[in-house]
Amino acid sequence: MDHLLSCYQPLPVAFTHGEGVWLWDTDNNKYLDALSGIAVCSLGHAHPAITQVIKEQAGKLLHTSNVYEIPYQQELATAITQYAGLQRAFFCNSGAEANEAAIKLARLYGHTKEFQTPQIVVMEGSFHGRTLATLTATASRKAQAGFEPLVQGFVRVPFDDLDALHALSANQNEIAAVLIEPIQGEGGIHVPHKGYLSALRDLCTQQEWLLMLDEVQTGIGRTGKFYAYQHENILPDVVTSAKALGNGIPIGACLTGPLASNLFQPGKHATTFGGNPMVSRVALTVLETLHEDNLIENAARQGDYLIQGIQEAFSNNPHVIEIRGHGLMIGIELDCPARPLMQVGLAQGLLFNTAQTHVIRLLPPLILQQNEADEIIKRLVKVISSLN
Ligand code: PLP
């Protein structure tokens, strides 16, 4: 009997070790990792700086709890809010938890305005996590089915549609916040039109709604800026982050600007593990390494190169409907289900996954070099040609 609950359908492969963009399986086969553990291992596998800091901190102190001061957590809050252009941070252990914190902030904010039932606007096609509130914020009926009753206080509008938001502002007077991914990841790699986020920022300011950006997948350099909203030179009120912040050590963060920085007071929100000395120090090292090795600029450069290469490789392929993305967050929409191709990818030594049913999703490490990008394209051509 399988003693794991049936939450996943893993591919029949397990890995023993990795180095940079490469992974090796139990039979010593080598794979190019174009998924990074779903946008987590952005510095690649077994990065020497991360290995070193984990070893060192493990020998000193792992955890004390937030009952006591944690200097590395303070340092991390200073560093990440500086990168974000925001003020304060709460650290937790996952993306869903970071979004839970944001949702609670929106409720507190709504109550400061004396709303009876503060509403959070969320988008069609969104993904925000699997806890009950974040599942409710997520657009997938399939993911929600069976978990009713869901959480109250969410209204949904189409993504990348300003008119829908304007219409809502005219009809609904208890909106506290908008929660949105700057680029939808699980929803199929959807990049909104240029100017959408800044227009949304203006609308939120005008309506006094918190603009809350879920940068769990897009953040920490993935799209070629530290956060994706920096492509539009705006500042949100709340940002959620996780995944690549720990390069594989679980950490989430909820960051706040002036409107949201004083809503939590002691007793309003907490976590046992969040921001412990180990994770905080690792995350600090992740930020330092991204900066010192110019990896965000590299993500922008290699992302452009990879997207262009994929476009050239598949411009005449009848199965490829659209190529979308920004930086190293790339989707290839097919005219058929994409999941069977993950197995074909294994045979070609290429790791990727899917988003929605028809989209191949590539999230390679930000350390990617041009010859490795070429290799991804070469292997993808073999994978997609299996459809003929
Ligand atoms: N938000 C976004 C945009 C995500 O892509 C994800 C995970 O894929 C989450 C939230 C949930 O993060 P976690 O799985 O760490 O709870």
Side-chain angles (χ1 to χ4, degrees):
M1 184 190 173
D2 189 344
H3 291 285
L4 286 171
L5 287 172
S6 306
C7 295
Y8 307 106
Q9 288 180 297
L11 291 172
V13 64
F15 303 102
T16 53
H17 63 286
E19 191 185 326
V21 301
W22 300 96
L23 281 170
W24 283 263
D25 72 10
T26 44
D27 294 325
N28 214 27
N29 297 309
K30 188 178 173 186
Y31 301 81
L32 208 177
D33 184 3
L35 183 60
S36 315
I38 324 185
V40 169
C41 303
S42 284
L43 306 183
H45 301 284
H47 190 287
I50 300 299
T51 307
Q52 174 61 26
V53 79
I54 290 174
K55 277 189 186 164
E56 202 180 299
Q57 191 59 33
K60 277 188 179 170
L61 187 65
L62 293 179
H63 179 85
T64 52
S65 90
N66 288 295
V67 170
Y68 309 102
E69 289 183 359
I70 303 172
Y72 285 127
Q73 190 186 127
Q74 300 267 4
E75 239 184 281
L76 178 61
T78 304
I80 195 168
T81 51
Q82 215 156 12
Y83 275 110
L86 296 175
Q87 290 183 335
R88 301 181 95 170
F90 170 81
F91 295 106
C92 49
N93 313 290
S94 66
E97 275 179 80
N99 285 331
E100 284 281 339
I103 290 164
K104 286 176 76 174
L105 285 173
R107 293 263 177 108
L108 287 174
Y109 177 74
H111 289 300
T112 65
K113 292 174 158 297
E114 300 189 352
F115 293 165
Q116 293 296 309
T117 49
Q119 303 290 314
I120 300 173
V121 181
V122 289
M123 301 293 142
E124 287 174 10
S126 65
F127 185 86
H128 298 294
R130 299 286 194 156
T131 60
L132 273 176
T134 59
L135 181 67
T136 308
T138 290
S140 167
R141 261 314 293 157
K142 192 173 153 220
Q144 291 171 346
F147 298 109
E148 299 82 0
L150 297 173
V151 175
Q152 290 187 337
F154 292 93
V155 282
R156 198 172 299 285
V157 296
F159 183 64
D160 199 13
D161 182 344
L162 282 167
D163 291 343
L165 280 158
H166 280 288
L168 197 65
S169 67
N171 296 325
Q172 170 55 268
N173 54 15
E174 290 212 328
I175 293 171
V178 176
L179 174 64
I180 180 171
E181 297 154 88
I183 296 173
Q184 290 188 330
E186 304 297 313
I189 315 291
H190 292 289
V191 186
H193 74 267
K194 207 164 183 297
Y196 171 70
L197 281 183
S198 47
L200 176 60
R201 171 68 277 180
D202 290 344
L203 180 64
C204 286
T205 304
Q206 182 202 334
Q207 297 290 332
E208 298 183 8
W209 301 342
L210 295 181
L211 175 58
M212 310 203 300
L213 295 183
D214 178 343
E215 292 251 14
V216 168
Q217 195 163 144
T218 48
I220 323 294
R222 168 117 334 248
T223 71
K225 294 276 185 192
F226 188 79
Y227 283 123
Y229 61 80
Q230 291 164 337
H231 290 291
E232 294 219 2
N233 284 321
I234 59 160
L235 280 181
D237 301 300
V238 176
V239 174
T240 57
S241 210
K243 288 193 182 277
L245 181 54
N247 205 57
I249 296 290
I251 179 168
C254 178
L255 313 179
T256 56
L259 284 181
S261 284
N262 296 311
L263 295 166
F264 280 155
Q265 294 300 323
K268 284 289 183 205
H269 198 54
T271 162
T272 297
F273 294 125
N276 79 18
M278 174 61 118
V279 296
S280 296
R281 195 166 170 207
V282 171
L284 267 170
T285 308
V286 168
L287 299 186
E288 274 163 23
T289 308
L290 280 174
H291 179 67
E292 281 165 14
D293 296 353
N294 294 316
L295 293 180
I296 300 178
E297 295 78 0
N298 188 59
R301 202 171 42 247
Q302 298 303 336
D304 285 349
Y305 180 79
L306 192 51
I307 291 174
Q308 198 187 337
I310 292 170
Q311 271 161 348
E312 281 164 15
F314 297 110
S315 59
N316 292 319
N317 190 307
H319 295 289
V320 175
I321 294 187
E322 194 175 29
I323 293 147
R324 302 186 285 265
H326 205 161
L328 288 172
M329 183 172 181
I330 302 167
I332 305 170
E333 182 163 343
L334 304 175
D335 68 347
C336 57
R339 190 173 158 91
L341 292 184
M342 288 171 65
Q343 184 85 42
V344 183
L346 283 186
Q348 295 298 336
L350 180 67
L351 305 179
F352 56 85
N353 81 343
T354 60
Q356 295 300 320
T357 51
H358 285 42
V359 181
I360 290 177
R361 177 168 47 163
L362 302 173
L363 301 161
L366 309 193
I367 54 165
L368 192 75
Q369 294 301 304
Q370 194 165 313
N371 60 329
E372 295 157 345
D374 288 333
E375 198 56 42
I376 291 177
I377 298 167
K378 211 167 97 188
R379 294 179 192 211
L380 262 181
V381 166
K382 290 189 184 152
V383 169
I384 292 180
S385 68
S386 73
L387 292 173
N388 293 326

